[in-house]
Amino acid sequence: MEHTNRADSPQAGALPDESGHFGVYGGRFVAETLMPPLEELDAAYRKYMQDPEFVAELDADLANYVGRPSPLYFAERLTAQAGGARIYLKREDLNHTGAHKINNTVGQALLAKRMGKQRIIAETGAGQHGVASATVAARLGLECVVYMGEEDIHRQAANVYRMRLLGAEVVAVNSGSRTLKDALNEAMRDWVTNVDNTFYIIGTVAGPHPYPAMVRDFQAVIGREARHQVMEMTGRLPDALVACVGGGSNAIGLFYPFIGDSDVKMYGVEAAGDGLETGRHAAPLCAGKPGVLHGNRTYLMEDNDGQIIETHSVSAGLDYPGVGPEHAWLKDTGRANYVAVTDTEALQAFHLLTRTEGILPALESSHAVAYTMKLAAEMKPEQTIVVNLSGRGDKDVNTIATLEGIEV
Amino acid sequence: MSRIEPCFARLKTQQRKALIPYITAGDPQPDLTVSLLHALVSAGADLLEIGVPFSDPMADGPVIQAACERALAHHVTLHNVLDMVREFRQQDADTPIILMGYLNPIEVWGYRDFAEAAAAAGVDGVLTVDMPPEEAGELAAALQAHHIDTIFLLAPTSNAHRMQLVGESASGFLYYVSFKGVTGANRLDVASVAAKLEELRKHTKLPVGVGFGIRDPESAAQVARIADAVVVGSVLVNRIAELADQPEAIAPALTETLAAMRAAIDAAG
């Protein structure tokens, strides 16, 4: 299986540096109490990623439990609709639990077990990472507590119920904006209190070092497979990669193994919400500026006084004021391009993919599809685009029905 | 040199322990903060810790988080906080002032400009909760250039290596977080703090303050026996919260709470 070959990541090991920095971004901005546990986690992570037994167990779980490799699917009717480049969908929506999030939780849970931690905590926005965490906790017999903003609990009721069915305790967070960032604050508070027996599974490539690198490495299986699959199907590397960016884990997972392939363009698609010009969006890379939040330096949605401002997106999974520090670095170096797509465009793309290919994309992934349609139209028919279809849209059906005034 | 080192030196000759109260600037309303600071000094504070409100106070419990939200409802900024310090200094030139908060407001201002403005306002120390020594080089240098101390935290999880590192990086005093957790929790275990402080003193000559979980005269006295300074926050902020709609009652309430701790600390000898 190609995902066992981790050596073909062209830039593997280059960044972050020893102290977790991607240029000026990243780092470890946490209170002293968490510094030793982060050092311990980093050491364990480095050790086990070199441990053939650990890697074999991880690969077996990815194959037999997650269902990897996920297919790379040529979307023929969607391609015809766009009228340009050939569009391939990396079907992360077909993973167990319905999104890419499980790639990371399987890895971190195995690490938690090796480190002797009995209790898992997680933050969640759309609920996908919460479900993926509750799932692996159930499988390994670990206690699991998931922090979720009150606002998101209403938006994603079905996922809340799924987590409870899996035996997780879902804690409603009603501070601040009551969304993902506040859930992350609350999970950090839990971790600092229960650090002896608790492993914090961060769901995205943000947080203090080593999380951005570790989550990336667990998600890079997406790009490794896609690289292999697209070579097999087309005989060459793709011309462009497209993925939505909230915290940015599915995007970095796809991008990372292609970073050294300078001919492969990369597009990260942020949530423009009501439109970048309205200020009601969640697009820190497109319209924010650098700052420090949640343990790392990165682009943020913040006001002139350094307070974090509320974000808006129809998609709970993109509704986050920060972004992984590696994306900040890729933006500044020009290696990746970051664009944004509005709620309305994402909803249109949701319907389009559903009707042309019979695939219901998550609202998050619909952002990537929406931008792909614009991009493909500007490209030649012999060119190819790989889009990360990071999750399935079943969880969003009620949200979409409500937005469109339909009673389900 | 800031006012902090002479303050601890003076207390040492007097064989007294420092009492450091914390309140969040602008809580419950900005025009009250300076008078509350004066009241705290009258009630026996030796140094003052002023919280800079932040939207995402990750290391704080619900009490101080709510204080941040009350202050931010009035749009209190880091600039405003320095204005408050400047106003305080018109009547009090001696009491050391430490700003406590998170890095982002300083990051957005710019380290050098902030350090210059803070020094001009009369700030003596800056404690940035989410900035360990590894990330502090540039800001600490900017502050030092203006004779402002960079205060660092140590915690129950800190090992010998980190005690050494933090001890070498800090100036003014060290702030020992008494338990694993957030501000305002009730988890103080004085015996374990004593054991850790003994170890810590092998790595540093700086005075050591202890904060988190000190909520009454008794716990203040217990901590005073083993530390150089007692930091009290959530218990005061709680009183502010209770009286948020009776602002005139806040200064007397803080005075009462702090004076009782002062008396207990002094009696502890």
Side-chain angles (χ1 to χ4, degrees):
Chain A
M1 198 73 44
E2 65 275 12
H3 60 247
T4 57
N5 184 3
R6 293 189 155 73
D8 67 355
S9 302
Q11 297 267 311
L15 283 178
D17 63 19
E18 271 301 294
S19 56
H21 294 87
F22 303 86
V24 299
Y25 302 107
R28 200 176 262 165
F29 294 88
V30 296
E32 172 64 24
T33 313
L34 290 178
M35 288 300 282
L38 286 168
E39 286 171 358
E40 186 192 338
L41 173 62
D42 191 27
Y45 168 63
R46 283 169 197 246
K47 174 180 155 194
Y48 287 115
M49 288 306 267
Q50 304 298 323
D51 173 358
E53 246 178 66
F54 180 86
V55 172
E57 195 176 345
L58 174 60
D59 286 342
D61 279 359
L62 289 175
N64 306 323
Y65 190 65
V66 176
R68 304 205 70 91
S70 67
L72 186 70
Y73 167 75
F74 173 51
E76 194 172 356
R77 297 226 304 144
L78 192 72
T79 297
Q81 186 87 27
R86 293 165 68 87
I87 300 169
Y88 290 81
L89 305 177
K90 181 61 174 160
R91 297 290 309 277
E92 293 299 300
D93 60 315
L94 294 178
N95 292 340
H96 181 41
T97 72
H100 73 291
K101 293 292 187 187
I102 190 95
N103 302 329
N104 169 49
T105 59
V106 160
Q108 289 199 47
L110 285 182
L111 200 52
K113 208 174 80 176
R114 289 287 203 285
M115 293 175 73
K117 306 288 184 184
Q118 293 304 310
R119 180 174 178 269
I120 276 176
I121 57 170
E123 84 295 336
T124 197
Q128 291 304 102
H129 174 58
V131 168
S133 298
T135 297
V136 295
R139 176 163 175 258
L140 296 178
L142 302 171
E143 185 188 344
C144 181
V145 178
V146 179
Y147 291 92
M148 191 167 183
E150 216 167 42
E151 175 85 5
D152 292 334
I153 284 182
H154 294 307
R155 286 197 281 194
Q156 303 288 346
N159 269 344
V160 174
Y161 185 55
R162 286 167 80 193
M163 288 183 263
R164 288 183 175 142
L165 287 173
L166 289 159
E169 181 191 346
V170 181
V171 179
V173 177
N174 49 28
S175 57
S177 61
R178 305 171 186 206
T179 60
L180 180 53
K181 81 168 173 80
D182 309 284
L184 214 150
N185 291 338
E186 212 53 45
M188 280 282 183
R189 290 176 184 129
D190 180 314
W191 198 35
V192 82
T193 305
N194 301 297
V195 66
D196 291 338
N197 72 340
T198 297
F199 190 105
Y200 180 15
I201 302 188
I202 295 186
T204 192
V205 285
H209 180 65
Y211 282 100
M214 178 171 68
V215 176
R216 172 197 71 195
D217 291 349
F218 285 135
Q219 291 293 0
V221 65
I222 301 171
R224 283 197 303 273
E225 287 176 5
R227 201 168 189 280
H228 180 84
Q229 290 165 322
V230 78
M231 291 292 284
E232 251 183 15
M233 293 167 81
T234 71
R236 60 184 195 84
L237 290 173
D239 296 282
L241 308 173
V242 181
C244 66
V245 177
S249 70
N250 90 79
I252 212 80
L254 176 63
F255 293 175
Y256 186 64
F258 292 93
I259 284 180
D261 304 310
S262 54
D263 292 340
V264 180
K265 291 199 166 75
M266 300 173 174
Y267 297 90
V269 186
E270 294 193 303
D274 291 345
L276 292 184
E277 69 288 352
T278 66
R280 282 174 52 76
H281 58 79
L285 288 166
C286 292
K289 49 187 199 265
V292 172
L293 178 71
H294 292 154
N296 68 103
R297 181 179 285 119
T298 187
Y299 280 83
L300 298 175
M301 301 273 294
E302 59 187 341
D303 66 18
N304 292 329
D305 301 308
Q307 306 297 344
I308 307 308
I309 55 181
E310 287 194 21
T311 52
H312 171 81
S313 169
V314 68
S315 135
L318 301 183
D319 212 348
Y320 178 64
V323 63
E326 192 162 10
H327 286 294
W329 168 248
L330 292 173
K331 172 191 160 75
D332 281 13
T333 58
R335 179 63 190 93
N337 305 288
Y338 294 90
V339 296
V341 153
T342 63
D343 286 355
T344 309
E345 291 171 313
L347 283 166
Q348 283 167 353
F350 169 86
H351 287 297
L352 179 66
L353 187 65
T354 303
R355 290 297 184 93
T356 56
E357 299 288 352
I359 297 171
L360 272 76
L363 279 175
E364 291 78 15
S365 321
S366 299
H367 286 72
V369 174
Y371 185 73
T372 299
M373 295 309 284
K374 296 187 206 177
L375 183 66
E378 295 162 3
M379 290 168 64
K380 300 189 192 91
E382 62 271 23
Q383 292 185 299
T384 56
I385 301 176
V386 172
V387 186
N388 199 356
L389 201 71
S390 55
R392 67 179 182 218
D394 306 57
K395 69 180 174 59
D396 296 314
V397 166
N398 287 330
T399 304
I400 291 163
T402 306
L403 281 170
E404 297 178 348
I406 296 158
E407 255 181 65
V408 180
Chain B
M1 193 191 297
S2 81
R3 297 171 185 83
I4 295 175
E5 193 183 315
C7 175
F8 275 103
R10 190 171 58 248
L11 288 165
K12 197 172 182 184
T13 60
Q14 295 167 353
Q15 293 184 309
R16 292 178 71 226
K17 297 301 175 74
L19 176 57
I20 313 180
Y22 164 101
I23 59 171
T24 303
D27 173 31
Q29 55 198 59
D31 57 5
L32 223 54
T33 300
V34 173
S35 62
L36 294 182
L37 294 173
H38 287 306
L40 291 169
V41 174
S42 305
D46 300 296
L47 302 88
L48 294 169
E49 234 180 62
I50 306 179
V52 179
F54 184 52
S55 53
D56 294 80
M58 233 166 52
D60 284 298
V63 170
I64 289 176
Q65 192 184 352
C68 284
E69 286 178 12
R70 286 192 295 274
L72 288 175
H74 295 281
H75 305 287
V76 174
T77 68
L78 183 52
H79 286 82
N80 298 147
V81 177
L82 293 190
D83 289 341
M84 293 171 190
V85 174
R86 195 175 297 112
E87 193 187 330
F88 173 84
R89 281 278 173 250
Q90 289 170 5
Q91 287 177 51
D92 187 329
D94 303 321
T95 308
I97 288 183
I98 297 133
L99 298 188
M100 183 167 184
Y102 294 79
L103 183 56
N104 203 45
I106 298 175
E107 178 99 357
V108 165
W109 191 332
Y111 293 169
R112 285 187 193 175
D113 290 349
F114 163 71
E116 189 183 338
V123 170
D124 299 283
V126 172
L127 197 176
T128 312
V129 178
D130 54 349
M131 190 189 66
E134 284 88 339
E135 303 286 357
E138 218 180 306
L139 177 57
L143 292 172
Q144 194 179 18
H146 292 279
H147 309 290
I148 295 175
D149 290 314
T150 307
I151 316 293
F152 287 103
L153 300 173
L154 277 161
T157 53
S158 306
N159 51 31
H161 161 72
R162 296 203 57 81
M163 288 183 192
Q164 189 70 28
L165 175 71
V166 173
E168 283 165 6
S169 310
S171 63
F173 69 100
L174 287 170
Y175 185 131
Y176 182 72
V177 174
S178 69
F179 53 75
K180 291 171 230 170
V182 293
T183 53
N186 185 11
R187 295 167 69 109
L188 179 65
D189 170 7
V190 178
S192 75
V193 173
K196 200 78 181 183
L197 292 196
E198 200 172 313
E199 201 186 335
L200 175 55
R201 299 218 193 255
K202 292 175 193 156
H203 297 275
T204 183
K205 297 257 178 289
L206 287 171
V208 180
V210 172
F212 282 42
I214 298 158
R215 50 179 56 217
D216 49 32
E218 192 191 352
S219 51
Q222 286 172 343
V223 169
R225 286 194 193 99
I226 54 174
D228 302 299
V230 178
V231 187
V232 190
S234 294
V235 66
L236 299 174
V237 174
N238 239 338
R239 301 222 66 179
I240 294 177
E242 288 161 8
L243 299 167
D245 53 355
Q246 309 164 56
E248 69 291 344
I250 294 175
L254 295 189
T255 301
E256 178 194 51
T257 304
L258 198 70
M261 290 184 165
R262 172 85 266 170
I265 290 171
D266 292 345

